[in-house]
């Protein structure tokens, strides 16, 4: 679950990480009030669940209250598009009005789960700021890494190693170690999957501060993270993902053109592999789960059909608790309700009530391609491209 910058900063601040003074504003009068408290010298920042704001005009340094209001009016009335959003962009409901600092150097610091290592790692770079992705690509050795042993947590020597690697002046080492320890504690206590501070600023006055912050909480730990300040802003969520989440479907959008509907995560992954082997690319991962009913299958197909990238659909069901006739009814209901043209649907059904399911689809005459196995499925998908 993604948090807004202002939520991430409040969280970090509770764990002793220094952040600039700031206020959230969602109306022009609030913007004026906040800008006045900083004597007009402030940064106006859109609060969205995506990065790349600086490069897309979502972060503006202003030096008067009037200018803050002018910039805010512009930002609040439009969606913003960054390289991390969809082409339509995301709405701007809130702004963060933050004191402007005299930044001498921009560093990068993040804490995340490294799936390969099975550990939490800390990454840091002296080349922080808006070009960090380019730095990682062109000069990966500029990114420092420390893997954290889960049994002992972050050790002071690891934080000191990073401080030295970042080339920080000796006087800043203490500040850095304290800041990283605080951020690490916040990460663990709040069940984060990511905390990213970019930039971590060294000010002209010799202070370290998080001037940007991103945080995500592991969805599977949300049941025990009840803190109200960590509330999810669902206005930032793409429509399709919201529908999937509220319908209890595991859905991840991908770039291909074959919409996949499967039951079970293992079969879903195998289905994606088979799709790739057929020379096609999956448009998504979608697991309807074991206990789906007609309505849930209907919603799943609806989600696939509402993706303009989907040119064909591959339904791969191994019926167990989920009956194949239920899946067939769901497919039927969704294609009937669809307002746009339905792309070809390849269906492989085995297991509980497979014959009934296939009969329903055959009789409905909606151009479903029924196949018996993976080989036939790949052939059919290929022939449809
Ligand atoms: P992002 O592009 O979405 O990551 O947004 P950031 O919050 O990182 O802001 C982009 C850039 O704005 C930063 O890399 C800084 O260079 C600049 N910036 C943000 N806040 C301040 C500030 O208080 N003072 C100064 N001088 N620059 C700032
Ligand atoms: Mn940033």
């Amino acid at each position: 679950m993604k948090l807004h910058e202002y939520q991430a900063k409040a969280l970090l601040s509770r764990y002793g990480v220094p952040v600039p003074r700031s206020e959230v504003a969602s109306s022009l009068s609030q913007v004026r009030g906040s800008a006045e408290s900083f004597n007009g010298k402030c940064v106006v920042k859109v609060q969205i669940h995506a990065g790349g704001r600086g490069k897309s005009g979502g972060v503006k340094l202003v030096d008067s209250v009037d200018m803050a209001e002018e910039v805010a009016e512009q930002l609040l009335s439009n969606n913003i598009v960054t390289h991390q959003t969809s082409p339509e962009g995301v709405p701007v409901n809130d702004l963060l009005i933050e004191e402007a600092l005299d930044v001498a150097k921009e560093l990068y610091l993040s804490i995340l789960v490294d799936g390969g290592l099975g550990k939490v790692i800390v990454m840091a770079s002296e080349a922080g700021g808006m070009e960090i992705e380019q730095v990682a690509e062109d000069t990966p050795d500029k990114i420092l890494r420390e893997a954290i042993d889960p049994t002992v947590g972050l050790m002071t020597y690891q934080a000191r190693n990073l401080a030295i690697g970042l080339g920080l002046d000796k006087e800043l080492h203490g500040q850095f170690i304290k800041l990283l320890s605080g951020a690490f504690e916040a990460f663990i206590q709040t069940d984060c999957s990511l905390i990213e501070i970019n930039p971590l600023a060294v000010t002209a006055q010799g202070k370290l501060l998080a001037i940007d912050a991103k945080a995500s909480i592991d969805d599977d730990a949300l049941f025990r993270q009840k803190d109200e300040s960590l509330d999810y802003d669902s206005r930032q969520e793409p429509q399709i993902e919201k529908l999937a989440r509220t319908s209890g479907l595991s859905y991840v959008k991908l770039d291909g053109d074959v919409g996949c509907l499967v039951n079970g995560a293992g079969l879903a992954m195998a289905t994606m592999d088979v799709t790739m082997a057929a020379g096609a690319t999956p448009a998504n991962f979608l697991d309807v789960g074991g206990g789906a009913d007609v309505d849930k299958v209907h919603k799943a197909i609806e989600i696939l059909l509402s993706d303009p990238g989907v040119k064909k659909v591959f339904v791969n069901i191994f019926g167990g608790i989920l009956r194949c006739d239920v899946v067939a009814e769901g497919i039927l209901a969704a294609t009937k309700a669809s307002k746009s043209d339905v792309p070809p649907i390849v269906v492989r059904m085995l297991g509980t009530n497979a014959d009934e399911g296939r009969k329903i689809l055959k009789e409905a005459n909606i151009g479903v391609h029924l196949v018996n196995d993976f080989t036939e499925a790949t052939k059919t998908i290929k022939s449809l491209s």
Side-chain angles (χ1 to χ4, degrees):
M1 179 185 89
K2 287 181 182 173
L3 297 180
H4 277 303
E5 176 189 9
Y6 71 85
Q7 294 172 305
K9 281 179 167 167
L11 169 66
L12 286 169
S13 175
R14 284 206 293 283
Y15 286 87
V17 175
V19 298
R21 288 182 299 144
S22 65
E23 280 176 11
V24 181
S26 42
S27 70
L28 294 182
S29 61
Q30 283 174 333
V31 170
R32 283 197 81 86
S34 303
E36 267 159 19
S37 69
F38 300 126
N39 296 322
K41 291 192 190 351
C42 54
V43 189
V44 180
K45 311 178 81 176
V46 295
Q47 297 300 287
I48 56 169
H49 285 175
R53 298 167 304 167
K55 285 188 172 169
S56 312
V59 176
K60 291 264 166 64
L61 193 63
V62 301
D63 54 19
S64 73
V65 175
D66 285 345
M67 219 172 131
E69 186 180 1
E70 202 175 298
V71 163
E73 190 171 11
Q74 189 71 26
L75 292 173
L76 283 170
S77 52
N78 292 303
N79 268 20
I80 185 159
V81 180
T82 82
H83 73 273
Q84 290 186 6
T85 68
S86 65
E88 308 86 68
V90 286
V92 179
N93 302 111
D94 301 305
L95 298 169
L96 190 64
I97 313 297
E98 187 163 82
E99 67 173 319
L101 297 167
D102 202 350
V103 177
K105 190 158 174 53
E106 300 192 345
L107 310 170
Y108 175 90
L109 181 66
S110 64
I111 307 172
L112 64 156
V113 179
D114 183 319
L117 282 178
K119 283 182 178 164
V120 171
I121 62 165
V122 178
M123 297 208 293
S125 177
E126 40 108 14
M130 293 192 282
E131 302 301 332
I132 190 67
E133 277 134 352
Q134 206 56 43
V135 171
E137 188 139 311
D138 299 345
T139 45
D141 49 318
K142 281 199 177 164
I143 315 271
L144 312 170
R145 285 181 175 77
E146 282 286 344
I148 312 300
D149 182 333
T151 57
V152 290
L154 174 75
M155 303 296 279
T156 308
Y157 82 88
Q158 295 182 299
R160 190 174 300 115
N161 274 351
L162 291 171
I164 295 165
L166 287 170
L168 289 178
D169 286 345
K170 211 120 197 227
E171 304 81 77
L172 293 177
H173 286 199
Q175 275 186 60
F176 178 80
I177 293 167
K178 187 162 172 283
L179 185 150
L180 176 54
S181 307
F184 185 77
E185 196 56 21
F187 182 95
I188 298 296
Q189 295 303 334
T190 320
D191 292 310
C192 292
S193 50
L194 169 79
I195 286 184
E196 184 184 67
I197 302 175
N198 184 36
L200 169 63
V202 184
T203 66
Q205 294 73 33
K207 286 238 149 19
L208 282 174
L209 284 125
I211 62 173
D212 184 18
K214 270 194 189 61
S216 286
I217 298 180
D218 186 337
D219 290 342
D220 291 326
L222 286 175
F223 71 95
R224 63 180 184 190
Q225 294 296 338
K226 295 282 181 225
D227 185 340
E228 266 176 33
S229 66
L230 305 176
D231 263 359
Y232 183 60
D233 182 359
S234 61
R235 296 170 301 181
Q236 291 286 312
E237 193 173 31
Q239 205 52 43
I240 293 188
E241 271 155 48
K242 187 182 282 179
L243 179 59
R245 182 171 56 81
T246 53
S247 315
L249 297 161
S250 306
Y251 171 81
V252 180
K253 169 136 178 59
L254 300 167
D255 293 334
D257 64 356
V258 183
C260 300
L261 185 152
V262 192
N263 66 323
L267 185 58
M269 286 192 273
T271 301
M272 288 161 62
D273 284 350
V274 165
T275 306
M276 296 287 281
T281 42
N284 62 276
F285 170 99
L286 197 163
D287 175 9
V288 290
D293 54 11
V294 173
D295 187 49
K296 202 161 170 184
V297 175
H298 179 159
K299 292 233 172 68
I301 298 272
E302 188 183 329
I303 286 166
L304 298 186
L305 299 184
S306 64
D307 177 350
V310 169
K311 303 289 180 240
K312 49 217 154 190
V313 171
F314 181 17
V315 176
N316 193 5
I317 297 294
F318 193 89
I321 298 170
L322 173 62
R323 292 177 356 230
C324 293
D325 57 316
V326 167
V327 175
E329 296 287 2
I331 296 174
L332 218 63
T335 50
K336 265 192 199 144
S338 173
K339 288 185 192 75
S340 48
D341 285 347
V342 176
I345 304 179
V346 179
V347 179
R348 171 186 178 253
M349 268 180 182
L350 281 181
T352 315
N353 289 4
D355 291 342
E356 287 85 338
R358 296 165 73 92
K359 187 157 172 264
I360 290 168
L361 291 173
K362 229 179 256 165
E363 284 174 1
N365 218 2
I366 49 170
V368 165
H369 302 257
L370 287 166
V371 298
N372 293 307
D373 53 37
F374 270 63
T375 317
E376 220 182 299
T378 53
K379 270 194 199 139
T380 312
I381 292 170
K382 238 185 209 161
S383 73
L384 292 169
S385 12

